[in-house]
Amino acid sequence: MAGTESSATGRYLVLLEDDSTVVGARELTRLAGIRTVNTADIVGASAAELLGAADGVVLNELGIALITAGADQATALSEAVNAPGPIAAFEAERTVYAIGDQPAAPVDGEFTWGLQATRADRSAATGKGVRVAVLDTGLDLQHPDLAGRDIVTGSFVPGEEVQDGHGHGTHVIGTSCGPRTSQNGPGYGIASEASIYAGKVLGNEGSGSDSGILEGISWAISNGCSVVSMSLGAATEPGQPFSEAFERVAQRAMAKGTLIIAAAGNESARGQGTVAPVGHPANCPSIMAVGAVDAQGAIADFSCGTVDEIGQVDVVGPGVDVHSSWPGAGYKTLSGTSMATPHVAGIAALLAQQTPERAWGLWARLAQTARRVPLPSTDAGAGLVQAP
């Protein structure tokens, strides 16, 4: 997310009250003449594709409508938020990006420093039986280190297959769910036997939209994923409210047993005295926000922090000089809160293998078992996550 800014797509998100997708669709038509289709009625088409045939699409699993609207229609729907009825929130859809990463020097050893710092190299847990969804730029399905793994894919980017033409998705999936042993370098994966659900929500150029992410979350929930990892987002300004739509979606995901973990963002320049606020959507209270530390335990210069009451860092993970898989049977060492997030997601999968707790219970275990670090909680939250 370094060097990027949040920008509107020209579409809107309409949050509907719980169990109100049908009456909500009727209200959209009554108030603004907007006719929608419901994803529960149409299988195999993305929201972007469905928008070509309608004014809006209702993501039935999440209770969110994605619409196109003119100025008068937008005004009517915005005013409806404060009136009794099924419309709970109305906001502009944002463009989101793969959280910016920074090339770093290669690493040596049997395990990456991130696996060692989180004790994943010593854990008997492997994540077997746990479904982990990683929503990003996709996955290199031919990478030899993932041969024979249980992999389910879905693309929510119109016109693009899940095959990763960018690299970011392959790197973060490698950290969360790749191998702990590799013939070509250090072991770098945490939940090495988890089921991988690779959701492409960002295009090969590294960007996407809120609607693609929401579709990916809906897909993960419907597939029973215990963990959703998102190394993506958009920058925010101090005091900027979090998205009510994403917050309610996260709450609904939690109610169905799915924990969402997201990168805090890379907008800080701590060496210059600047600490930027946690980005969207990690700044939502019901999404676990992940900051980054280096091998010495210091907060990464770029890692966003808690600067006001709106968004806070919940935990930290290894995010500097992180070695992982890369398309073309390769490897790359990168830095960013993007790299810290899959460490946390992988450890969440290890914990989920060993306990029936899900959602808030899994969040609590991640926080309670985290190693306290000599950093303020505004930078590190509960601390550095630890494998069971």
Side-chain angles (χ1 to χ4, degrees), residues 83-124:
I87 298 178
F90 179 79
E91 58 192 61
E93 183 192 34
R94 290 160 288 276
T95 299
V96 291
Y97 304 87
I99 302 285
D101 40 62
Q102 305 170 17
V107 293
D108 299 313
E110 184 179 358
F111 301 100
T112 60
W113 78 265
L115 264 65
Q116 296 176 57
T118 59
R119 300 178 60 89
D121 61 324
R122 288 167 275 180
S123 177

PDB file of all heavy atoms in Angstrom, residues 83-124:
ATOM      1  N   ALA A  83     -33.242   6.883   8.071  1.00  0.00           N
ATOM      2  CA  ALA A  83     -34.675   6.629   8.202  1.00  0.00           C
ATOM      3  C   ALA A  83     -34.908   5.162   8.527  1.00  0.00           C
ATOM      4  O   ALA A  83     -34.056   4.313   8.259  1.00  0.00           O
ATOM      5  CB  ALA A  83     -35.387   6.997   6.894  1.00  0.00           C
ATOM      6  N   PRO A  84     -36.026   4.826   9.148  1.00  0.00           N
ATOM      7  CA  PRO A  84     -36.335   3.414   9.408  1.00  0.00           C
ATOM      8  C   PRO A  84     -36.386   2.632   8.099  1.00  0.00           C
ATOM      9  O   PRO A  84     -36.876   3.143   7.081  1.00  0.00           O
ATOM     10  CB  PRO A  84     -37.714   3.474  10.068  1.00  0.00           C
ATOM     11  CG  PRO A  84     -37.839   4.864  10.594  1.00  0.00           C
ATOM     12  CD  PRO A  84     -37.089   5.735   9.633  1.00  0.00           C
ATOM     13  N   GLY A  85     -35.856   1.417   8.125  1.00  0.00           N
ATOM     14  CA  GLY A  85     -35.857   0.623   6.913  1.00  0.00           C
ATOM     15  C   GLY A  85     -34.648  -0.278   6.823  1.00  0.00           C
ATOM     16  O   GLY A  85     -33.806  -0.319   7.730  1.00  0.00           O
ATOM     17  N   PRO A  86     -34.511  -1.002   5.716  1.00  0.00           N
ATOM     18  CA  PRO A  86     -33.460  -2.018   5.598  1.00  0.00           C
ATOM     19  C   PRO A  86     -32.087  -1.494   5.210  1.00  0.00           C
ATOM     20  O   PRO A  86     -31.119  -2.258   5.210  1.00  0.00           O
ATOM     21  CB  PRO A  86     -34.010  -2.935   4.497  1.00  0.00           C
ATOM     22  CG  PRO A  86     -34.803  -2.011   3.625  1.00  0.00           C
ATOM     23  CD  PRO A  86     -35.427  -1.010   4.561  1.00  0.00           C
ATOM     24  N   ILE A  87     -31.963  -0.202   4.850  1.00  0.00           N
ATOM     25  CA  ILE A  87     -30.664   0.333   4.414  1.00  0.00           C
ATOM     26  C   ILE A  87     -29.892   0.839   5.629  1.00  0.00           C
ATOM     27  O   ILE A  87     -30.273   1.812   6.268  1.00  0.00           O
ATOM     28  CB  ILE A  87     -30.857   1.441   3.368  1.00  0.00           C
ATOM     29  CG1 ILE A  87     -31.544   0.859   2.134  1.00  0.00           C
ATOM     30  CG2 ILE A  87     -29.521   2.071   3.005  1.00  0.00           C
ATOM     31  CD1 ILE A  87     -31.826   1.847   1.046  1.00  0.00           C
ATOM     32  N   ALA A  88     -28.802   0.145   5.946  1.00  0.00           N
ATOM     33  CA  ALA A  88     -28.042   0.454   7.161  1.00  0.00           C
ATOM     34  C   ALA A  88     -26.895   1.425   6.919  1.00  0.00           C
ATOM     35  O   ALA A  88     -26.528   2.199   7.804  1.00  0.00           O
ATOM     36  CB  ALA A  88     -27.496  -0.835   7.775  1.00  0.00           C
ATOM     37  N   ALA A  89     -26.289   1.377   5.735  1.00  0.00           N
ATOM     38  CA  ALA A  89     -25.161   2.270   5.434  1.00  0.00           C
ATOM     39  C   ALA A  89     -25.019   2.394   3.930  1.00  0.00           C
ATOM     40  O   ALA A  89     -25.405   1.492   3.175  1.00  0.00           O
ATOM     41  CB  ALA A  89     -23.870   1.759   6.063  1.00  0.00           C
ATOM     42  N   PHE A  90     -24.432   3.513   3.502  1.00  0.00           N
ATOM     43  CA  PHE A  90     -24.246   3.800   2.083  1.00  0.00           C
ATOM     44  C   PHE A  90     -22.888   4.478   1.936  1.00  0.00           C
ATOM     45  O   PHE A  90     -22.609   5.473   2.602  1.00  0.00           O
ATOM     46  CB  PHE A  90     -25.369   4.728   1.589  1.00  0.00           C
ATOM     47  CG  PHE A  90     -25.259   5.115   0.149  1.00  0.00           C
ATOM     48  CD1 PHE A  90     -25.661   4.251  -0.850  1.00  0.00           C
ATOM     49  CD2 PHE A  90     -24.745   6.361  -0.213  1.00  0.00           C
ATOM     50  CE1 PHE A  90     -25.566   4.614  -2.193  1.00  0.00           C
ATOM     51  CE2 PHE A  90     -24.643   6.736  -1.546  1.00  0.00           C
ATOM     52  CZ  PHE A  90     -25.059   5.852  -2.540  1.00  0.00           C
ATOM     53  N   GLU A  91     -22.015   3.918   1.102  1.00  0.00           N
ATOM     54  CA  GLU A  91     -20.675   4.497   0.963  1.00  0.00           C
ATOM     55  C   GLU A  91     -20.107   4.227  -0.421  1.00  0.00           C
ATOM     56  O   GLU A  91     -20.510   3.268  -1.100  1.00  0.00           O
ATOM     57  CB  GLU A  91     -19.737   3.941   2.039  1.00  0.00           C
ATOM     58  CG  GLU A  91     -19.591   2.441   2.021  1.00  0.00           C
ATOM     59  CD  GLU A  91     -18.886   1.902   3.260  1.00  0.00           C
ATOM     60  OE1 GLU A  91     -19.391   2.096   4.375  1.00  0.00           O
ATOM     61  OE2 GLU A  91     -17.826   1.282   3.088  1.00  0.00           O
ATOM     62  N   ALA A  92     -19.186   5.062  -0.834  1.00  0.00           N
ATOM     63  CA  ALA A  92     -18.541   4.887  -2.134  1.00  0.00           C
ATOM     64  C   ALA A  92     -17.624   3.674  -2.100  1.00  0.00           C
ATOM     65  O   ALA A  92     -16.931   3.420  -1.104  1.00  0.00           O
ATOM     66  CB  ALA A  92     -17.737   6.140  -2.490  1.00  0.00           C
ATOM     67  N   GLU A  93     -17.620   2.922  -3.197  1.00  0.00           N
ATOM     68  CA  GLU A  93     -16.702   1.793  -3.311  1.00  0.00           C
ATOM     69  C   GLU A  93     -15.292   2.324  -3.556  1.00  0.00           C
ATOM     70  O   GLU A  93     -15.097   3.292  -4.284  1.00  0.00           O
ATOM     71  CB  GLU A  93     -17.115   0.886  -4.471  1.00  0.00           C
ATOM     72  CG  GLU A  93     -16.231  -0.347  -4.585  1.00  0.00           C
ATOM     73  CD  GLU A  93     -16.428  -1.106  -5.888  1.00  0.00           C
ATOM     74  OE1 GLU A  93     -16.683  -0.449  -6.924  1.00  0.00           O
ATOM     75  OE2 GLU A  93     -16.303  -2.325  -5.876  1.00  0.00           O
ATOM     76  N   ARG A  94     -14.290   1.677  -2.930  1.00  0.00           N
ATOM     77  CA  ARG A  94     -12.900   2.104  -3.048  1.00  0.00           C
ATOM     78  C   ARG A  94     -12.091   1.189  -3.971  1.00  0.00           C
ATOM     79  O   ARG A  94     -12.408   0.012  -4.118  1.00  0.00           O
ATOM     80  CB  ARG A  94     -12.231   2.123  -1.668  1.00  0.00           C
ATOM     81  CG  ARG A  94     -12.715   3.211  -0.734  1.00  0.00           C
ATOM     82  CD  ARG A  94     -12.406   2.903   0.714  1.00  0.00           C
ATOM     83  NE  ARG A  94     -13.241   1.848   1.216  1.00  0.00           N
ATOM     84  CZ  ARG A  94     -14.486   2.026   1.691  1.00  0.00           C
ATOM     85  NH1 ARG A  94     -15.022   3.200   1.720  1.00  0.00           N
ATOM     86  NH2 ARG A  94     -15.188   1.016   2.141  1.00  0.00           N
ATOM     87  N   THR A  95     -11.055   1.731  -4.550  1.00  0.00           N
ATOM     88  CA  THR A  95     -10.025   0.933  -5.203  1.00  0.00           C
ATOM     89  C   THR A  95      -9.040   0.487  -4.133  1.00  0.00           C
ATOM     90  O   THR A  95      -8.639   1.281  -3.283  1.00  0.00           O
ATOM     91  CB  THR A  95      -9.284   1.758  -6.272  1.00  0.00           C
ATOM     92  OG1 THR A  95     -10.227   2.184  -7.262  1.00  0.00           O
ATOM     93  CG2 THR A  95      -8.196   0.930  -6.944  1.00  0.00           C
ATOM     94  N   VAL A  96      -8.655  -0.782  -4.159  1.00  0.00           N
ATOM     95  CA  VAL A  96      -7.721  -1.315  -3.170  1.00  0.00           C
ATOM     96  C   VAL A  96      -6.513  -1.897  -3.892  1.00  0.00           C
ATOM     97  O   VAL A  96      -6.569  -2.211  -5.083  1.00  0.00           O
ATOM     98  CB  VAL A  96      -8.397  -2.388  -2.292  1.00  0.00           C
ATOM     99  CG1 VAL A  96      -9.440  -1.770  -1.391  1.00  0.00           C
ATOM    100  CG2 VAL A  96      -9.029  -3.478  -3.148  1.00  0.00           C
ATOM    101  N   TYR A  97      -5.430  -2.045  -3.145  1.00  0.00           N
ATOM    102  CA  TYR A  97      -4.167  -2.440  -3.739  1.00  0.00           C
ATOM    103  C   TYR A  97      -3.493  -3.534  -2.916  1.00  0.00           C
ATOM    104  O   TYR A  97      -3.702  -3.645  -1.712  1.00  0.00           O
ATOM    105  CB  TYR A  97      -3.207  -1.235  -3.801  1.00  0.00           C
ATOM    106  CG  TYR A  97      -3.762  -0.050  -4.532  1.00  0.00           C
ATOM    107  CD1 TYR A  97      -4.539   0.900  -3.867  1.00  0.00           C
ATOM    108  CD2 TYR A  97      -3.527   0.123  -5.896  1.00  0.00           C
ATOM    109  CE1 TYR A  97      -5.067   1.996  -4.540  1.00  0.00           C
ATOM    110  CE2 TYR A  97      -4.044   1.216  -6.575  1.00  0.00           C
ATOM    111  CZ  TYR A  97      -4.809   2.148  -5.894  1.00  0.00           C
ATOM    112  OH  TYR A  97      -5.334   3.233  -6.557  1.00  0.00           O
ATOM    113  N   ALA A  98      -2.675  -4.325  -3.603  1.00  0.00           N
ATOM    114  CA  ALA A  98      -1.766  -5.203  -2.878  1.00  0.00           C
ATOM    115  C   ALA A  98      -0.856  -4.300  -2.051  1.00  0.00           C
ATOM    116  O   ALA A  98      -0.304  -3.332  -2.568  1.00  0.00           O
ATOM    117  CB  ALA A  98      -0.942  -6.037  -3.850  1.00  0.00           C
ATOM    118  N   ILE A  99      -0.753  -4.593  -0.754  1.00  0.00           N
ATOM    119  CA  ILE A  99       0.058  -3.745   0.116  1.00  0.00           C
ATOM    120  C   ILE A  99       1.484  -3.732  -0.412  1.00  0.00           C
ATOM    121  O   ILE A  99       2.098  -4.776  -0.588  1.00  0.00           O
ATOM    122  CB  ILE A  99       0.046  -4.260   1.564  1.00  0.00           C
ATOM    123  CG1 ILE A  99      -1.394  -4.325   2.100  1.00  0.00           C
ATOM    124  CG2 ILE A  99       0.918  -3.406   2.456  1.00  0.00           C
ATOM    125  CD1 ILE A  99      -1.997  -3.009   2.442  1.00  0.00           C
ATOM    126  N   GLY A 100       2.020  -2.556  -0.686  1.00  0.00           N
ATOM    127  CA  GLY A 100       3.320  -2.420  -1.322  1.00  0.00           C
ATOM    128  C   GLY A 100       4.419  -3.176  -0.602  1.00  0.00           C
ATOM    129  O   GLY A 100       4.492  -3.187   0.614  1.00  0.00           O
ATOM    130  N   ASP A 101       5.281  -3.851  -1.359  1.00  0.00           N
ATOM    131  CA  ASP A 101       6.371  -4.592  -0.762  1.00  0.00           C
ATOM    132  C   ASP A 101       7.708  -4.030  -1.234  1.00  0.00           C
ATOM    133  O   ASP A 101       7.786  -3.348  -2.244  1.00  0.00           O
ATOM    134  CB  ASP A 101       6.264  -6.080  -1.102  1.00  0.00           C
ATOM    135  CG  ASP A 101       5.831  -6.316  -2.545  1.00  0.00           C
ATOM    136  OD1 ASP A 101       6.586  -5.897  -3.438  1.00  0.00           O
ATOM    137  OD2 ASP A 101       4.763  -6.883  -2.754  1.00  0.00           O
ATOM    138  N   GLN A 102       8.748  -4.367  -0.490  1.00  0.00           N
ATOM    139  CA  GLN A 102      10.058  -3.793  -0.747  1.00  0.00           C
ATOM    140  C   GLN A 102      11.085  -4.908  -0.877  1.00  0.00           C
ATOM    141  O   GLN A 102      11.213  -5.738   0.025  1.00  0.00           O
ATOM    142  CB  GLN A 102      10.457  -2.858   0.408  1.00  0.00           C
ATOM    143  CG  GLN A 102       9.410  -1.776   0.679  1.00  0.00           C
ATOM    144  CD  GLN A 102       9.693  -1.023   1.954  1.00  0.00           C
ATOM    145  OE1 GLN A 102      10.784  -1.065   2.484  1.00  0.00           O
ATOM    146  NE2 GLN A 102       8.679  -0.322   2.449  1.00  0.00           N
ATOM    147  N   PRO A 103      11.820  -4.991  -2.005  1.00  0.00           N
ATOM    148  CA  PRO A 103      12.823  -6.034  -2.161  1.00  0.00           C
ATOM    149  C   PRO A 103      13.868  -5.959  -1.051  1.00  0.00           C
ATOM    150  O   PRO A 103      14.187  -4.899  -0.536  1.00  0.00           O
ATOM    151  CB  PRO A 103      13.447  -5.730  -3.528  1.00  0.00           C
ATOM    152  CG  PRO A 103      12.412  -4.926  -4.249  1.00  0.00           C
ATOM    153  CD  PRO A 103      11.713  -4.135  -3.173  1.00  0.00           C
ATOM    154  N   ALA A 104      14.361  -7.137  -0.677  1.00  0.00           N
ATOM    155  CA  ALA A 104      15.362  -7.202   0.389  1.00  0.00           C
ATOM    156  C   ALA A 104      16.394  -8.262   0.035  1.00  0.00           C
ATOM    157  O   ALA A 104      16.288  -8.954  -0.966  1.00  0.00           O
ATOM    158  CB  ALA A 104      14.675  -7.529   1.721  1.00  0.00           C
ATOM    159  N   ALA A 105      17.398  -8.389   0.892  1.00  0.00           N
ATOM    160  CA  ALA A 105      18.472  -9.346   0.646  1.00  0.00           C
ATOM    161  C   ALA A 105      18.004 -10.773   0.890  1.00  0.00           C
ATOM    162  O   ALA A 105      17.121 -11.031   1.696  1.00  0.00           O
ATOM    163  CB  ALA A 105      19.652  -9.022   1.568  1.00  0.00           C
ATOM    164  N   PRO A 106      18.598 -11.768   0.180  1.00  0.00           N
ATOM    165  CA  PRO A 106      18.233 -13.154   0.413  1.00  0.00           C
ATOM    166  C   PRO A 106      18.632 -13.608   1.808  1.00  0.00           C
ATOM    167  O   PRO A 106      19.450 -12.965   2.479  1.00  0.00           O
ATOM    168  CB  PRO A 106      19.008 -13.918  -0.655  1.00  0.00           C
ATOM    169  CG  PRO A 106      19.800 -12.945  -1.413  1.00  0.00           C
ATOM    170  CD  PRO A 106      19.555 -11.574  -0.861  1.00  0.00           C
ATOM    171  N   VAL A 107      18.035 -14.734   2.247  1.00  0.00           N
ATOM    172  CA  VAL A 107      18.315 -15.257   3.584  1.00  0.00           C
ATOM    173  C   VAL A 107      18.817 -16.683   3.471  1.00  0.00           C
ATOM    174  O   VAL A 107      18.558 -17.381   2.512  1.00  0.00           O
ATOM    175  CB  VAL A 107      17.057 -15.205   4.469  1.00  0.00           C
ATOM    176  CG1 VAL A 107      16.673 -13.779   4.762  1.00  0.00           C
ATOM    177  CG2 VAL A 107      15.900 -15.936   3.799  1.00  0.00           C
ATOM    178  N   ASP A 108      19.547 -17.125   4.489  1.00  0.00           N
ATOM    179  CA  ASP A 108      20.075 -18.479   4.538  1.00  0.00           C
ATOM    180  C   ASP A 108      19.582 -19.157   5.809  1.00  0.00           C
ATOM    181  O   ASP A 108      19.067 -18.520   6.710  1.00  0.00           O
ATOM    182  CB  ASP A 108      21.616 -18.458   4.532  1.00  0.00           C
ATOM    183  CG  ASP A 108      22.177 -17.822   3.264  1.00  0.00           C
ATOM    184  OD1 ASP A 108      21.695 -18.195   2.184  1.00  0.00           O
ATOM    185  OD2 ASP A 108      23.071 -16.974   3.378  1.00  0.00           O
ATOM    186  N   GLY A 109      19.787 -20.496   5.879  1.00  0.00           N
ATOM    187  CA  GLY A 109      19.405 -21.247   7.067  1.00  0.00           C
ATOM    188  C   GLY A 109      18.347 -22.286   6.750  1.00  0.00           C
ATOM    189  O   GLY A 109      17.780 -22.336   5.655  1.00  0.00           O
ATOM    190  N   GLU A 110      18.067 -23.156   7.730  1.00  0.00           N
ATOM    191  CA  GLU A 110      17.096 -24.233   7.535  1.00  0.00           C
ATOM    192  C   GLU A 110      15.672 -23.704   7.487  1.00  0.00           C
ATOM    193  O   GLU A 110      14.819 -24.231   6.767  1.00  0.00           O
ATOM    194  CB  GLU A 110      17.236 -25.255   8.665  1.00  0.00           C
ATOM    195  CG  GLU A 110      16.339 -26.465   8.498  1.00  0.00           C
ATOM    196  CD  GLU A 110      16.523 -27.472   9.613  1.00  0.00           C
ATOM    197  OE1 GLU A 110      17.375 -27.242  10.504  1.00  0.00           O
ATOM    198  OE2 GLU A 110      15.792 -28.488   9.606  1.00  0.00           O
ATOM    199  N   PHE A 111      15.409 -22.660   8.283  1.00  0.00           N
ATOM    200  CA  PHE A 111      14.093 -22.033   8.307  1.00  0.00           C
ATOM    201  C   PHE A 111      14.257 -20.518   8.193  1.00  0.00           C
ATOM    202  O   PHE A 111      15.260 -19.957   8.618  1.00  0.00           O
ATOM    203  CB  PHE A 111      13.354 -22.338   9.626  1.00  0.00           C
ATOM    204  CG  PHE A 111      13.154 -23.801   9.886  1.00  0.00           C
ATOM    205  CD1 PHE A 111      13.997 -24.483  10.762  1.00  0.00           C
ATOM    206  CD2 PHE A 111      12.117 -24.502   9.280  1.00  0.00           C
ATOM    207  CE1 PHE A 111      13.819 -25.831  11.016  1.00  0.00           C
ATOM    208  CE2 PHE A 111      11.926 -25.847   9.533  1.00  0.00           C
ATOM    209  CZ  PHE A 111      12.784 -26.528  10.396  1.00  0.00           C
ATOM    210  N   THR A 112      13.247 -19.859   7.650  1.00  0.00           N
ATOM    211  CA  THR A 112      13.282 -18.406   7.620  1.00  0.00           C
ATOM    212  C   THR A 112      13.249 -17.864   9.047  1.00  0.00           C
ATOM    213  O   THR A 112      12.782 -18.518   9.976  1.00  0.00           O
ATOM    214  CB  THR A 112      12.074 -17.841   6.858  1.00  0.00           C
ATOM    215  OG1 THR A 112      10.870 -18.258   7.506  1.00  0.00           O
ATOM    216  CG2 THR A 112      12.077 -18.296   5.409  1.00  0.00           C
ATOM    217  N   TRP A 113      13.732 -16.635   9.203  1.00  0.00           N
ATOM    218  CA  TRP A 113      13.735 -16.059  10.550  1.00  0.00           C
ATOM    219  C   TRP A 113      12.308 -15.877  11.049  1.00  0.00           C
ATOM    220  O   TRP A 113      12.059 -15.950  12.267  1.00  0.00           O
ATOM    221  CB  TRP A 113      14.499 -14.737  10.566  1.00  0.00           C
ATOM    222  CG  TRP A 113      13.773 -13.537  10.029  1.00  0.00           C
ATOM    223  CD1 TRP A 113      13.830 -13.025   8.776  1.00  0.00           C
ATOM    224  CD2 TRP A 113      12.872 -12.688  10.752  1.00  0.00           C
ATOM    225  NE1 TRP A 113      13.024 -11.915   8.668  1.00  0.00           N
ATOM    226  CE2 TRP A 113      12.424 -11.682   9.868  1.00  0.00           C
ATOM    227  CE3 TRP A 113      12.409 -12.678  12.064  1.00  0.00           C
ATOM    228  CZ2 TRP A 113      11.542 -10.684  10.246  1.00  0.00           C
ATOM    229  CZ3 TRP A 113      11.520 -11.676  12.456  1.00  0.00           C
ATOM    230  CH2 TRP A 113      11.085 -10.700  11.550  1.00  0.00           C
ATOM    231  N   GLY A 114      11.363 -15.698  10.132  1.00  0.00           N
ATOM    232  CA  GLY A 114       9.976 -15.535  10.545  1.00  0.00           C
ATOM    233  C   GLY A 114       9.413 -16.784  11.185  1.00  0.00           C
ATOM    234  O   GLY A 114       8.698 -16.714  12.197  1.00  0.00           O
ATOM    235  N   LEU A 115       9.726 -17.957  10.627  1.00  0.00           N
ATOM    236  CA  LEU A 115       9.278 -19.209  11.242  1.00  0.00           C
ATOM    237  C   LEU A 115       9.927 -19.401  12.606  1.00  0.00           C
ATOM    238  O   LEU A 115       9.289 -19.871  13.554  1.00  0.00           O
ATOM    239  CB  LEU A 115       9.603 -20.389  10.329  1.00  0.00           C
ATOM    240  CG  LEU A 115       8.449 -20.858   9.421  1.00  0.00           C
ATOM    241  CD1 LEU A 115       8.073 -19.784   8.423  1.00  0.00           C
ATOM    242  CD2 LEU A 115       8.796 -22.160   8.713  1.00  0.00           C
ATOM    243  N   GLN A 116      11.196 -19.007  12.709  1.00  0.00           N
ATOM    244  CA  GLN A 116      11.882 -19.152  14.000  1.00  0.00           C
ATOM    245  C   GLN A 116      11.325 -18.188  15.046  1.00  0.00           C
ATOM    246  O   GLN A 116      11.088 -18.568  16.196  1.00  0.00           O
ATOM    247  CB  GLN A 116      13.375 -18.914  13.805  1.00  0.00           C
ATOM    248  CG  GLN A 116      14.043 -19.942  12.903  1.00  0.00           C
ATOM    249  CD  GLN A 116      15.513 -19.633  12.653  1.00  0.00           C
ATOM    250  OE1 GLN A 116      16.293 -19.522  13.604  1.00  0.00           O
ATOM    251  NE2 GLN A 116      15.890 -19.483  11.393  1.00  0.00           N
ATOM    252  N   ALA A 117      11.077 -16.949  14.647  1.00  0.00           N
ATOM    253  CA  ALA A 117      10.585 -15.943  15.597  1.00  0.00           C
ATOM    254  C   ALA A 117       9.187 -16.264  16.107  1.00  0.00           C
ATOM    255  O   ALA A 117       8.832 -15.909  17.239  1.00  0.00           O
ATOM    256  CB  ALA A 117      10.600 -14.559  14.946  1.00  0.00           C
ATOM    257  N   THR A 118       8.388 -16.930  15.277  1.00  0.00           N
ATOM    258  CA  THR A 118       7.025 -17.294  15.686  1.00  0.00           C
ATOM    259  C   THR A 118       6.945 -18.709  16.242  1.00  0.00           C
ATOM    260  O   THR A 118       5.854 -19.173  16.571  1.00  0.00           O
ATOM    261  CB  THR A 118       6.053 -17.171  14.493  1.00  0.00           C
ATOM    262  OG1 THR A 118       6.509 -18.037  13.443  1.00  0.00           O
ATOM    263  CG2 THR A 118       5.981 -15.734  13.988  1.00  0.00           C
ATOM    264  N   ARG A 119       8.080 -19.399  16.316  1.00  0.00           N
ATOM    265  CA  ARG A 119       8.178 -20.775  16.822  1.00  0.00           C
ATOM    266  C   ARG A 119       7.455 -21.772  15.928  1.00  0.00           C
ATOM    267  O   ARG A 119       7.230 -22.921  16.334  1.00  0.00           O
ATOM    268  CB  ARG A 119       7.650 -20.871  18.262  1.00  0.00           C
ATOM    269  CG  ARG A 119       8.390 -19.998  19.264  1.00  0.00           C
ATOM    270  CD  ARG A 119       7.783 -20.093  20.672  1.00  0.00           C
ATOM    271  NE  ARG A 119       7.826 -21.452  21.191  1.00  0.00           N
ATOM    272  CZ  ARG A 119       8.834 -21.963  21.883  1.00  0.00           C
ATOM    273  NH1 ARG A 119       9.910 -21.220  22.127  1.00  0.00           N
ATOM    274  NH2 ARG A 119       8.805 -23.202  22.323  1.00  0.00           N
ATOM    275  N   ALA A 120       7.146 -21.389  14.721  1.00  0.00           N
ATOM    276  CA  ALA A 120       6.496 -22.322  13.810  1.00  0.00           C
ATOM    277  C   ALA A 120       7.419 -23.475  13.428  1.00  0.00           C
ATOM    278  O   ALA A 120       6.958 -24.577  13.128  1.00  0.00           O
ATOM    279  CB  ALA A 120       6.029 -21.588  12.551  1.00  0.00           C
ATOM    280  N   ASP A 121       8.731 -23.222  13.443  1.00  0.00           N
ATOM    281  CA  ASP A 121       9.684 -24.279  13.101  1.00  0.00           C
ATOM    282  C   ASP A 121       9.692 -25.394  14.132  1.00  0.00           C
ATOM    283  O   ASP A 121      10.134 -26.512  13.858  1.00  0.00           O
ATOM    284  CB  ASP A 121      11.088 -23.693  12.952  1.00  0.00           C
ATOM    285  CG  ASP A 121      11.598 -23.034  14.227  1.00  0.00           C
ATOM    286  OD1 ASP A 121      10.785 -22.411  14.953  1.00  0.00           O
ATOM    287  OD2 ASP A 121      12.809 -23.134  14.503  1.00  0.00           O
ATOM    288  N   ARG A 122       9.169 -25.121  15.333  1.00  0.00           N
ATOM    289  CA  ARG A 122       9.159 -26.138  16.410  1.00  0.00           C
ATOM    290  C   ARG A 122       7.765 -26.666  16.701  1.00  0.00           C
ATOM    291  O   ARG A 122       7.585 -27.459  17.610  1.00  0.00           O
ATOM    292  CB  ARG A 122       9.748 -25.527  17.681  1.00  0.00           C
ATOM    293  CG  ARG A 122      11.250 -25.316  17.621  1.00  0.00           C
ATOM    294  CD  ARG A 122      11.747 -24.444  18.756  1.00  0.00           C
ATOM    295  NE  ARG A 122      11.629 -23.029  18.416  1.00  0.00           N
ATOM    296  CZ  ARG A 122      11.995 -22.044  19.225  1.00  0.00           C
ATOM    297  NH1 ARG A 122      12.476 -22.318  20.417  1.00  0.00           N
ATOM    298  NH2 ARG A 122      11.872 -20.795  18.843  1.00  0.00           N
ATOM    299  N   SER A 123       6.783 -26.249  15.959  1.00  0.00           N
ATOM    300  CA  SER A 123       5.407 -26.635  16.242  1.00  0.00           C
ATOM    301  C   SER A 123       5.064 -27.974  15.593  1.00  0.00           C
ATOM    302  O   SER A 123       5.421 -28.238  14.439  1.00  0.00           O
ATOM    303  CB  SER A 123       4.445 -25.567  15.724  1.00  0.00           C
ATOM    304  OG  SER A 123       3.102 -25.951  15.937  1.00  0.00           O
ATOM    305  N   ALA A 124       4.352 -28.806  16.345  1.00  0.00           N
ATOM    306  CA  ALA A 124       3.877 -30.080  15.795  1.00  0.00           C
ATOM    307  C   ALA A 124       2.644 -29.883  14.937  1.00  0.00           C
ATOM    308  O   ALA A 124       2.302 -30.744  14.120  1.00  0.00           O
ATOM    309  CB  ALA A 124       3.568 -31.058  16.935  1.00  0.00           C
TER     310      ALA A 124
END
